[in-house]
Amino acid sequence: MGVTKKQNIIISNPQTRDFLADAYYPETEDRLTLPLVIFVHGYKGYKDWGAWNLMAEKFAEAGFFFVKFNFSHNGTTVEDPHNFADLEAFGNNNYSKELSDLGAVIDYFVQDERVDVHKIVLIGHSRGGGISIVKTYEDERIHGLITLASVDTLDRFPKNEAFENWKTAGVYYVTNGRTKQEMPHYYQFYEDYEQQEHRFDVERATEMAKAHVLIIHGTHDESVSVKNAEHLHILHPNSELFLIENADHTFGAKEPWENSELPTDLNTATEKCIEFIRENFIFQNE
């Protein structure tokens, strides 16, 4: 089955700014509508990082309308989607903006005639998992939720003296290990969180989410402990927990990914996602 790829679609969000999305879907003559699967990247992530393109192709080949996108303030730009070309935007990112962007993505793609609006699934990686959990609780259009190496809280800010220094200075910097850029975080990020702490409560959203839930995590995740996945599973007992032995935070992928095949662990995760979506949104309706 061939795959249609529409890359760098401009999504306009009046509440933030323009950003880019990609859509991958099977080339087919019939008029069947497809489940909409939206991938939500994490902290210091972007839609073209590593092996995400290969993952997108695999979902499309499986019969899904797969979307991945850049958050408007993830540091990339419409003109330069592959680099952190706008560190000022990165510093001004916050959870409100990310949830708004995700809503704009859903609004845009549910209008596509190929999409089955009754089969919308979010896949969130790392911090994108936390955002996806909150969005799933808030937006009744979402029917399925898959987390990949997800956090179990969005309260991931500096603590104690480091926090006080951040508050005083108004900014702190994190070095990007790959690009060596000093990436700013302005204090507005915490202020946005503090003002809406109840809204950003991942634990509460997990408990309350009305969706089919799959939680995937690697047992050797060096960035987000597997205990986060186990905690999410406890909070939502009807969820399915799928642990991949010895898998790391990105399931074997890295940037750049120059292999034509998915890394073994990410392939395992992708196949599990496909199986989960088929079982809950296709086979049950036949």
Side-chain angles (χ1 to χ4, degrees):
M1 181 187 295
V3 171
T4 296
K5 305 174 189 177
K6 291 190 175 180
Q7 295 174 297
N8 297 328
I9 302 163
I10 296 178
I11 308 293
S12 295
N13 183 0
Q15 296 181 2
T16 57
R17 66 178 191 174
D18 290 357
F19 57 95
L20 298 178
D22 300 337
Y24 289 61
Y25 51 87
E27 296 173 357
T28 177
E29 295 294 325
D30 59 44
R31 287 291 182 176
L32 288 176
T33 52
L34 310 171
L36 174 61
V37 181
I38 299 174
F39 176 74
V40 184
H41 72 71
Y43 175 60
K44 291 190 287 188
Y46 49 98
K47 68 180 179 63
D48 297 305
W49 185 92
W52 299 145
N53 286 333
L54 293 175
M55 182 178 73
E57 290 179 18
K58 192 175 180 76
F59 273 98
E61 289 166 356
F64 305 135
F65 192 107
F66 185 91
V67 170
K68 55 189 176 70
F69 69 99
N70 285 331
F71 280 120
S72 63
H73 286 66
N74 72 344
T76 66
T77 64
V78 169
E79 297 76 23
D80 189 357
H82 297 98
N83 298 290
F84 295 119
D86 191 345
L87 292 181
E88 189 68 12
F90 181 89
N92 280 297
N93 193 20
N94 58 47
Y95 297 141
S96 292
K97 290 174 180 174
E98 293 194 350
L99 285 164
S100 177
D101 289 340
L102 180 50
V105 170
I106 298 171
D107 291 343
Y108 183 91
F109 286 102
V110 293
Q111 299 177 59
D112 195 297
E113 62 181 8
R114 304 172 191 84
V115 164
D116 185 340
V117 298
H118 302 293
K119 298 175 182 176
I120 299 176
V121 181
L122 299 185
I123 302 179
H125 176 250
S126 194
R127 191 172 91 185
I131 292 295
S132 297
I133 291 168
V134 173
K135 190 63 177 176
T136 298
Y137 166 62
E138 288 188 346
D139 194 329
E140 63 183 13
R141 294 176 297 179
I142 300 165
H143 311 96
L145 168 66
I146 300 172
T147 64
L148 296 177
S150 177
V151 299
D152 63 359
T153 178
L154 289 173
D155 183 4
R156 296 176 66 84
F157 300 103
K159 305 297 182 187
N160 304 320
E161 184 179 356
F163 177 82
E164 293 303 321
N165 291 339
W166 184 26
K167 185 176 182 180
T168 300
V171 62
Y172 80 93
Y173 295 88
V174 171
T175 302
N176 186 310
R178 180 177 61 85
T179 67
K180 308 306 178 187
Q181 291 169 289
E182 292 294 316
M183 307 186 77
H185 296 73
Y186 296 116
Y187 188 66
Q188 62 81 29
F189 196 168
Y190 179 76
E191 291 177 318
D192 176 69
Y193 173 82
E194 186 179 40
Q195 290 164 7
Q196 303 180 77
E197 191 170 355
H198 185 66
R199 180 190 185 195
F200 300 141
D201 185 341
V202 172
E203 293 183 346
R204 171 176 162 271
T206 302
E207 289 177 327
M208 303 288 285
K210 292 183 174 65
H212 298 285
V213 180
L214 170 63
I215 299 163
I216 300 178
H217 218 103
T219 61
H220 280 189
D221 190 324
E222 72 288 359
S223 299
V224 178
S225 169
V226 69
K227 291 180 180 178
N228 286 248
E230 293 164 345
H231 183 210
L232 293 173
H233 181 50
I234 290 169
L235 292 168
H236 195 97
N238 290 331
S239 64
E240 180 179 355
L241 177 62
F242 185 74
L243 302 182
I244 302 178
E245 287 299 319
N246 300 317
D248 62 14
H249 187 58
T250 56
F251 302 93
K254 62 182 181 180
E255 173 64 26
W257 184 256
E258 297 170 340
N259 196 310
S260 61
E261 301 292 329
L262 281 168
T264 301
D265 290 337
L266 184 55
N267 188 62
T268 298
T270 302
E271 289 183 344
K272 180 61 181 178
C273 292
I274 290 169
E275 174 190 301
F276 173 81
I277 298 170
R278 283 177 172 164
E279 286 181 352
N280 288 286
F281 298 102
I282 299 177
F283 296 154
Q284 69 169 12
N285 296 326
E286 293 181 349

